[in-house]
Amino acid sequence: MKSNRKLKNILFQVSAIAILAAAVIHNFDTIIAKYMLIAGAAGFAATTFTTPYPGKSLRGKRLFNIQIFSVLLICVSAYLMFVDMRAWVITLLISALLTLYCAIALPIAYKKEQKGEKE
């Protein structure tokens, strides 16, 4: 079980780096960037969808749903990049901000839930 969690964590990190690298590489080689973003989005989605929120609080579930929406926006960004539309930058930026917010707020919500505090 612990090795499975470690493997998911490595896939999550590699996928996030691939998404970031695809955004940077797009300035130099659009073909490589398209496929890197698709691969990164697939790995990011796989790890997010297979790791649900462990708690029961409404706030934590809402934050996890925002994270799911963020993953869907990454997939939309990959599609928009693949069809050569410049709007992929906007959807990827929105997704990055939502992911950052969830990465900060989800552990806080889970810790509060574990302590038994009211929201």
Side-chain angles (χ1 to χ4, degrees):
M1 186 72 168
K2 188 170 178 134
S3 65
N4 188 21
R5 188 179 307 152
K6 189 173 182 178
L7 183 64
K8 277 185 183 179
N9 192 23
I10 290 170
L11 179 62
F12 186 79
Q13 291 172 352
V14 168
S15 299
I17 290 170
I19 292 169
L20 179 62
V24 173
I25 290 174
H26 186 268
N27 292 326
F28 307 108
D29 190 356
T30 58
I31 303 297
I32 294 173
K34 289 176 184 181
Y35 291 104
M36 279 185 75
L37 187 59
I38 289 171
F44 204 77
T47 56
T48 302
F49 288 136
T50 59
T51 311
Y53 178 68
K56 303 273 187 227
S57 75
L58 189 60
R59 182 172 189 226
K61 289 181 181 182
R62 178 186 55 86
L63 286 167
F64 183 72
N65 287 336
I66 291 171
Q67 192 174 19
I68 295 293
F69 180 69
S70 175
V71 169
L72 294 176
L73 281 177
I74 292 172
C75 295
V76 168
S77 297
Y79 171 76
L80 292 174
M81 184 189 277
F82 201 78
V83 296
D84 294 324
M85 292 183 68
R86 298 296 284 168
W88 69 267
V89 177
I90 296 167
T91 55
L92 192 61
L93 176 65
I94 293 168
S95 175
L97 293 174
L98 289 174
T99 302
L100 178 64
Y101 172 68
C102 290
I104 293 170
L106 262 171
I108 294 171
Y110 188 65
K111 284 180 186 174
K112 280 185 179 178
E113 183 180 349
Q114 293 300 314
K115 288 182 181 177
E117 297 178 10
K118 292 285 183 184
E119 296 178 18

